[in-house]
Every structure is written in structure tokens, then in C-alpha cells.
Amino acid sequence: MPESPSTTGLGLLGTEPDALRGLADAAAAPAAGAAHSARSKIDMHHHYCAPEWREWAVRHELIDPKRLPPWTRLDIEAAIAFMDRAGIVTAVLKPMLPARYHSSAQLREAVNITLQSMIEVATSHPGRFSFYVPLFLDDPDASSWAIRRGLGQLGAVGVNVTANYGGVYLGDPSYDGVFAELNEFSAVVDTHPHNLPDGPPGPSTVPGIPNFMCDFLLDTTRAAVNMISKRTLDRFPDISVILPHAGGFLPYIATRLQALGRFCDPPVEPAAVRDYLGRFHYDTAGPMASAATLLAHVPAERILFGTDWPAAPGDTVTELAFPALDSDPAFTAEQLQGIYHDNALRLIPQLATV
């Protein structure tokens, strides 16, 4: 997940340092049930912190490696071990390079190092990995350069953005130039939440409750509602937006937004809420809650499988997420096949020829 140069703090979803060995062991643990290893899954929410970027950022004193979550040190071999046991044939890498960069030139160097690392991973493991381009929307020039380089030259299958940059959320008109360029590429725009704006760097907003538990979901929801309010998908109709973690709280407040959206500025019409709920895409990373509420507003064809690995440990995926998805009475077997595999290919046909 990219982090804006203007975003303070490196308190990302993670575990205690002494749990790193446990994370690696969990990656190699057998999946929960033979049915899972038989499925060919496409993981649309698979985090990646390039080791070359970490080394570069440490040399430039941009990060304290001790403050990065330990899962950022897991390597591609651990990822492949997890994927094999989980029945994941292909993973789309969501790059994270969290630092406060001193200049646009330094940011471009960080992005370029990360892109080259992901290309090497994809090339070295044919068919197993594809990748998103990390964008930092508060630097429009660097974002435009990254789009042209990543989508236009290097074969990325989409871009990854955070829900807000310095408190300015997706949908804000200041991002229109970048979104116009993404629209020209008919780009997949994958989003990811982070800590809420104006909070203290690092610590939890509520002591004892990790920010990823609640704040991340609110961050996604704010971005989605702002895009609805600003009619982002109407102004840029050729982009496809993926909301992580089943859309945050959006499906649960859909009726509230339809009833009270007139108090937004500009007002949100109920028809626009219904329209946008069916136009966004949603991944299952989390694990997601019961699907009935989501399916009340969203076609099953808009739901994509995602693990959140390695931020979510392997056993969380295999022992909680898989059983929850497979046993959810809201899904038919055909819909599950779409979620695990087919919907991703429909959205990004290039994944069939990675």
C-alpha cells in the first residue's frame, strides 16, 4: 500500500517482531481442507514490500526498519509457499513504500525501485505474480510519470492508491488530472485504507485497539462516499475502482446514505448511491463479514478474492477466511467460482496471460 509523502507515521497493520518466524511458518502450513488447494484462486489483495526499496530507504534515512511491521521482511519464497498451500495460482502485488519523501525526484526513485523489483519477481516466477503501480496523488507530476511508466511501458495491470493523502480523500477535484489520465488507460484503480487523517503518528487512535480494526474501514468508507458525492465514476467512466475489505462500512450504511445523502455537499441522490454500489468492485480481504448485506446492494460479479497476506497471517486466511466464504449461505457455488477466480479475469483479462 503506498503511503503519501505527507502522511506521517509508519504504524501499519502488523505483528510483534518476535512473530516473524511464526508468520513464515504459517505461510508453509497446510491449508484448511483439500478443496481449497484444488481451486485456482487469483489473489487481488497481496501486499509487497520490495527488499530493494527497504535497503534504499534505510540508506537515505527515510525509515527506521524497526518500525516497519515484521511481515514486510517476508520474502517471495514465503509468498509462494503460502500461495501453493492456499490454491492461489496468481497474486497481484499491492506495493507498499511507506516513507516521507523529501522531493518529487526522490519519490520517483522509490517508485522506480519498487517497480523494477516487482518486474523481477513476476519475470522470475512466470504466471504467479502481476503488480499494481503505486501512486501518490498529492504529487500529480510523479503520479502522471508513474502511470505512463507502469501502465504504458512496464505491463502493470492497474494502480494502487490510498483512501486519502494528508486528509484529502479520493474523489477530490485536486486529483482530477491524474484520474483523467487513468481514464485514458481504462485503468483498474485499487484502493487501500490507512490511519485516519490528523491522528498521532504510530499509536492507535483508541488505545489498545489497532487502527486496522476500525479506522481502516472508516477510511475506505469515507473515500467511497466522497467518490459518490463527487460523481467520480460519471466523470471518469472508463476506470474501475476496487474497494478493499468488502467496501469497509459502505454496504452497511447504504440505506442511511440514500436517506440522508441530501445533507452532503453536493447532495447525494438515492439513485446515485444505488448506482455506485453496483459499479464499485469489492475484495474479500479481512476476512469479510457475512455476505448477505453486501449482496443486497452489489452483484456477486463485482466481488473479488483477496487475502491481505502477509499483513493477514496465513492461518487467518486458511482457517477463517476460506471457511467463512465457502460456508456463507448467501453465495452459490457458481458465485464462489467467480469470486475466487473468474471475476478477476473479467476485470483484468491480462491475468490470463501473466
Side-chain angles (χ1 to χ4, degrees), residues 3 7-17 49 53-54 58 61-73 96 98-100 194-195 199-204:
E3 179 168 328
T7 303
T8 58
L10 300 175
L12 304 175
L13 171 59
T15 53
E16 295 301 318
C49 184
W53 173 84
R54 289 197 309 270
V58 169
E61 299 182 342
L62 294 173
I63 62 168
D64 177 357
K66 295 179 181 178
R67 296 188 64 196
L68 289 177
W71 56 260
T72 62
R73 301 196 296 275
M96 60 167 293
R100 299 188 65 184
H194 200 253
N195 298 329
S204 299

Side-chain angles (χ1 to χ4, degrees), residues 251-276:
Y252 302 92
I253 66 165
T255 303
R256 179 181 179 88
L257 183 58
Q258 291 179 55
L260 303 175
R262 64 185 186 274
F263 295 105
C264 295
D265 184 17
V268 176
E269 298 295 329
V273 178
R274 292 190 292 270
D275 179 40
Y276 272 64

Side-chain angles (χ1 to χ4, degrees), residues 171-346:
D172 190 88
S174 63
Y175 302 145
D176 280 2
V178 175
F179 270 70
E181 194 162 0
L182 291 170
N183 197 66
E184 293 177 5
F185 278 90
S186 299
V188 171
V189 180
D190 181 76
T191 69
H192 202 281
H194 200 253
N195 298 329
L196 298 177
D198 301 323
S204 299
T205 303
V206 180
I209 301 177
N211 287 341
F212 65 78
M213 191 69 66
C214 302
D215 291 14
F216 278 28
L217 304 180
L218 176 57
D219 204 37
T220 291
T221 306
R222 286 177 169 180
V225 172
N226 203 45
M227 284 188 281
I228 297 172
S229 173
K230 302 302 190 294
R231 304 306 292 260
T232 300
L233 299 184
D234 292 337
R235 293 182 296 114
F236 308 106
D238 294 328
I239 66 171
S240 300
V241 174
I242 302 174
L243 302 177
H245 312 124
F249 300 136
L250 181 64
Y252 302 92
I253 66 165
T255 303
R256 179 181 179 88
L257 183 58
Q258 291 179 55
L260 303 175
R262 64 185 186 274
F263 295 105
C264 295
D265 184 17
V268 176
E269 298 295 329
V273 178
R274 292 190 292 270
D275 179 40
Y276 272 64
L277 280 164
R279 291 169 70 182
F280 289 131
H281 298 261
Y282 307 79
D283 77 35
T284 67
M288 64 180 286
S290 176
T293 300
L294 181 61
L295 287 178
H297 304 286
V298 174
E301 293 76 16
R302 293 276 167 166
I303 304 174
L304 307 164
F305 174 65
T307 64
D308 222 338
W309 194 88
D315 57 357
T316 297
V317 178
T318 59
E319 296 177 20
L320 294 176
F322 284 167
L325 276 174
D326 287 342
S327 64
D328 196 313
F331 290 130
T332 67
E334 183 179 2
Q335 288 171 336
L336 282 174
Q337 172 63 24
I339 290 166
Y340 279 126
H341 186 269
D342 298 350
N343 297 346
L345 289 182
R346 190 178 301 111

Side-chain angles (χ1 to χ4, degrees), residues 74-91:
L74 289 174
D75 58 20
I76 286 298
E77 298 311 315
I80 291 175
F82 162 72
M83 291 165 60
D84 287 348
R85 285 156 180 80
I88 296 168
V89 61
T90 302

